[in-house]
Amino acid sequence: MSALAPGLIVKASPPSRPRRAGSLLARVWRAYAFRRLRRAVLVVFIVTNAGFFLMRAMPGDPVDVLAGQISQRGVSPVEARALAIQSLAFDPDAPIWEQWWEYFSGLVTGDMGTSVTQVGVPVSEVIMKVLPWTLFSVGAGVTIAITLGLLLGMLMAYRRNSRVDHALSLVASIMGAIPNYLIAIALVTLGSTVFGVIDFLDMRGRYSQGVQPGFNAEFIGDALYHGILPITTYTLATVGTWMLVMKAATTEVLGDDYVTVARARGLTDKRIALTYVGRNAVLPLVPQVAIALATVIGGAILVEQVLAYEGLGLLSLESVNNRDYFVLQGVLVIGTSVVVLTNWIADLVYGRLDPRVRVSDVEAAA
């Protein structure tokens, strides 16, 4: 290369501006919340497809169930099947791909079809009659269980190896090992038959006859009265797990260096427990809320049957017995969406509480 001429002044080019991360659409697409939302939608799509094909792999179909009921009245099997096909809005002989396309094309627009057994009634209407009651009982039970579990778990960690710790750990282990439907049976048997403190016949159902649903004290009080058994069942079935998990998380946090430094600074145990220990011990438990909710909703099928509580679980069982594909698929879509939405919100809260999660997720996606 030739040397520069003497006295020639070379102007340095100004530093280039950093390139923009891309268009607004690209930034939204790479955003932490939107990536989690994409995964949530994918999970719902996969579960819905799996449920669609598994239901049709079951022996029998809605026509067979209704034809069997009609034939009990003395009608011949051929005539019974013809009457069933005529009565139901379902063609069992249609190709599976046509059924799939018809269902999912409607699902995209919010149409989940009509009930096979309740002819002409939309699936959304059937589900919305019972969904609020399951969300109410499950939500209340899980909330109470989490609150008690976190408090008792911290107590067990602070009193570890004491009599309190041993007693609570034993109770938590036993409660966590008992299926929720057995807890429901025990509540009815012990409370109603043995001790006589529960009037099970009066507490069945969602609310008493003669009570008009509405936002008033009478209806709310009656709904809470009828919800005591399912809420108690869900609380007892999950509180033990939260106690043990919180105990382990708190014990681990108590051994960290910053807790030792806080004590050396003369901070009170109450302030350390609330400001340092509690906040950091709860942090890893946030994503587990969705798992607990999914477990409880899945177990609601047997619990609601035992307690005669008309909710999403009891509707699912009836839909399986009647092979009501569209209602069962609607229950699956709604139940999965509730759990996935809860998990998505938990991810956002966890990412807000611990920014390291969002940073690592962004680096992994880059």
Side-chain angles (χ1 to χ4, degrees):
M1 296 179 60
S2 59
L4 293 176
L8 181 62
I9 301 176
V10 180
K11 291 185 64 177
S13 59
S16 60
R17 295 181 179 179
R19 296 183 61 184
R20 297 182 62 182
S23 64
L24 177 61
L25 184 60
R27 292 199 298 271
V28 171
W29 181 261
R30 293 193 298 267
Y32 173 78
F34 193 76
R35 284 200 309 275
R36 295 290 179 177
L37 182 61
R38 295 199 319 257
R39 297 174 187 175
V41 173
L42 179 61
V43 169
V44 174
F45 179 75
I46 293 175
V47 172
T48 304
N49 274 276
F52 178 89
F53 291 104
L54 286 175
M55 290 173 197
R56 281 154 179 79
M58 293 189 302
D61 55 49
V63 174
D64 292 334
V65 174
L66 184 57
Q69 297 174 356
I70 295 176
S71 62
Q72 294 177 358
R73 306 170 188 170
V75 182
S76 66
V78 177
E79 294 179 355
R81 183 170 180 82
L83 290 173
I85 293 176
Q86 184 179 358
S87 302
L88 300 178
F90 176 74
D91 183 8
D93 300 324
I96 189 67
W97 65 268
E98 287 186 5
Q99 298 183 36
W100 182 91
W101 176 255
E102 181 180 358
Y103 178 72
F104 275 90
S105 59
L107 190 62
V108 171
T109 61
D111 181 15
M112 292 185 287
T114 58
S115 173
V116 175
T117 54
Q118 303 180 40
V119 182
V121 181
V123 171
S124 57
E125 182 178 335
V126 175
I127 294 178
M128 288 309 299
K129 289 181 180 179
V130 297
L131 178 61
W133 298 99
T134 296
L135 293 180
F136 160 67
S137 59
V138 169
V142 171
T143 301
I144 296 173
I146 291 176
T147 304
L148 291 177
L150 297 184
L151 294 176
L152 294 176
M154 287 190 65
L155 176 63
M156 293 160 60
Y158 271 95
R159 300 289 186 268
R160 57 187 180 276
N161 297 325
S162 65
R163 293 183 178 178
V164 174
D165 177 28
H166 294 320
L168 291 178
S169 296
L170 178 62
V171 172
S173 300
I174 294 175
M175 297 306 299
I178 301 177
N180 49 15
Y181 65 91
L182 290 182
I183 295 178
I185 294 175
L187 286 176
V188 174
T189 303
L190 297 177
S192 179
T193 306
V194 178
F195 298 106
V197 296
I198 295 177
D199 188 355
F200 176 65
L201 295 179
D202 187 54
M203 298 179 70
R204 292 184 304 174
R206 299 172 296 189
Y207 52 89
S208 303
Q209 294 182 355
V211 177
Q212 294 297 327
F215 193 72
N216 53 73
E218 180 185 9
F219 174 72
I220 295 175
D222 189 70
L224 289 173
Y225 171 72
H226 285 265
I228 289 177
L229 290 179
I231 292 174
T232 304
T233 300
Y234 299 138
T235 300
L236 296 177
T238 56
V239 67
T241 302
W242 286 104
M243 290 169 59
L244 296 176
V245 172
M246 187 60 183
K247 174 189 174 182
T250 305
T251 302
E252 182 179 356
V253 171
L254 287 174
D256 290 340
D257 294 336
Y258 61 85
V259 177
T260 305
V261 173
R263 286 172 175 167
R265 291 172 54 194
L267 299 180
T268 61
D269 290 339
K270 181 179 179 180
R271 183 176 179 184
I272 293 175
L274 296 177
T275 307
Y276 294 89
V277 178
R279 181 188 304 176
N280 291 280
V282 169
L283 188 60
L285 308 184
V286 173
Q288 299 185 24
V289 175
I291 299 176
L293 186 63
T295 303
V296 175
I297 290 180
I301 296 178
L302 296 177
V303 171
E304 291 180 356
Q305 183 185 17
V306 170
L307 301 178
Y309 192 80
E310 301 172 6
L312 204 62
L314 195 57
L315 177 64
S316 301
L317 185 61
E318 294 175 352
S319 300
V320 171
N321 294 332
N322 295 325
R323 299 298 190 272
D324 197 337
Y325 289 158
F326 293 104
V327 171
L328 195 56
Q329 287 167 184
V331 171
L332 182 64
V333 171
I334 296 297
T336 304
S337 300
V338 169
V339 174
V340 169
L341 179 62
T342 306
N343 190 34
W344 180 64
I345 295 175
D347 284 341
L348 296 184
V349 173
Y350 190 43
R352 179 64 62 180
L353 296 176
D354 190 355
R356 294 173 299 177
V357 176
R358 286 178 293 166
V359 173
S360 61
D361 191 77
V362 170
E363 292 177 350

